[in-house]
Amino acid sequence: KAGVTQTPRYLIKTRGQQVTLSCSPISGHRSVSWYQQTPGQGLQFLFEYFSETQRNKGNFPGRFSGRQFSNSRSEMNVSTLELGDSALYLCASRPNSGSTGELFFGEGSRLTVL
Amino acid sequence: QKEVEQDPGPLSVPEGAIVSLNCTYSNSAFQYFMWYRQYSRKGPELLMYTYSSGNKEDGRFTAQVDKSSKYISLFIRDSQPSDSATYLCAISANSGYSTLTFGKGTMLLVSP
């Protein structure tokens, strides 16, 4: 069974640009979460989607947005990039509703903002 | 005070040692406790999942939760070089769609 797939794995952008990251969850998983990981702040929750609806949102500015498609694939977008947005962005899927903690993570998309 | 505190390490031990990794948390509403392992350049993977106070054992790994002290631990027996990774504790307040709050992770280095 294929794991969570994230693309692209690495990307470099400049300040002011925008970026879109993609995540394909494990087949059959309907919940997708996004986390930002930095050395200083660790893993921080961005948002979670279930059945194309945003269920929870973390404490990030409106420049961070996401969406989920009918096939459960998800994208997140960061507009007007800042240097501080450089991070590893991790996508995780859950088997189904009610499965606390059983997050299955992808390998992440490493974003560098110059 | 951050919701979850975890010593970043690195923690260096020789092969075969018993390792103790710890987290403290501040919110008594937390009920679900997890440990994730993250190898370099990889995403975190779930190691242990416990609910409420007590111990849970899985092979060389034992997770311990003390809700009265708001303290959770992960013990690794007979540590191996392949255990070298960053270990993250994660805590959740309730089931379903509750988000996870992660510690910053402890880097463990096991030398042969």
Side-chain angles (χ1 to χ4, degrees):
Chain A
K1 197 173 190 182
V4 177
T5 304
Q6 292 187 245
T7 57
R9 290 291 314 281
Y10 303 91
L11 64 167
I12 300 173
K13 294 286 187 178
T14 57
R15 279 180 301 175
Q17 288 187 311
Q18 73 166 9
V19 66
T20 299
L21 309 177
S22 180
C23 172
S24 294
I26 292 172
S27 177
H29 288 194
R30 295 165 62 195
S31 171
V32 173
S33 300
W34 289 90
Y35 286 80
Q36 181 196 65
Q37 187 174 33
T38 59
Q41 299 298 319
L43 267 163
Q44 293 186 288
F45 172 74
L46 281 158
F47 26 66
E48 179 177 13
Y49 287 87
F50 180 82
S51 293
E52 302 179 65
T53 302
Q54 187 177 89
R55 292 284 184 161
N56 287 298
K57 189 177 190 303
N59 189 25
F60 278 83
R63 300 185 296 107
F64 292 81
S65 62
R67 59 178 175 168
Q68 187 180 33
F69 302 96
S70 58
N71 61 359
S72 295
R73 191 176 68 84
S74 177
E75 289 181 347
M76 67 162 284
N77 182 276
V78 188
S79 62
T80 319
L81 285 166
E82 300 177 0
L83 295 179
D85 296 333
S86 295
L88 180 67
Y89 290 88
L90 290 159
C91 169
S93 67
R94 296 179 193 256
N96 241 317
S97 62
S99 50
T100 299
E102 295 179 55
L103 287 178
F104 292 84
F105 283 88
E107 295 193 334
S109 293
R110 185 166 296 280
L111 170 65
T112 302
V113 182
L114 302 176
Chain B
Q1 180 186 12
K2 288 191 69 70
E3 284 192 294
V4 182
E5 300 275 7
Q6 186 176 9
D7 187 331
L11 176 62
S12 295
V13 301
E15 182 175 356
I18 296 175
V19 175
S20 173
L21 304 166
N22 310 293
C23 284
T24 58
Y25 62 95
S26 57
N27 189 345
S28 58
F30 288 134
Q31 297 184 61
Y32 297 83
F33 308 92
M34 288 134 275
W35 285 95
Y36 281 80
R37 176 175 63 194
Q38 185 175 22
Y39 291 112
S40 179
R41 301 187 181 280
K42 298 289 187 181
E45 58 178 335
L46 181 65
L47 263 183
M48 300 285 284
Y49 167 63
T50 60
Y51 169 71
S52 75
S53 289
N55 292 356
K56 181 176 182 179
E57 189 174 318
D58 184 2
R60 296 185 296 112
F61 299 89
T62 299
Q64 189 175 80
V65 174
D66 182 350
K67 292 183 72 177
S68 63
S69 302
K70 299 188 182 67
Y71 193 86
I72 65 173
S73 301
L74 177 70
F75 298 96
I76 306 174
R77 292 183 298 280
D78 188 25
S79 56
Q80 302 295 309
S82 59
D83 294 328
S84 297
T86 296
Y87 291 80
L88 302 125
C89 61
I91 305 178
S92 175
N94 48 52
S95 64
Y97 302 108
S98 178
T99 61
L100 296 185
T101 301
F102 283 85
K104 289 188 179 181
T106 299
M107 181 182 291
L108 171 66
L109 303 171
V110 182
S111 54

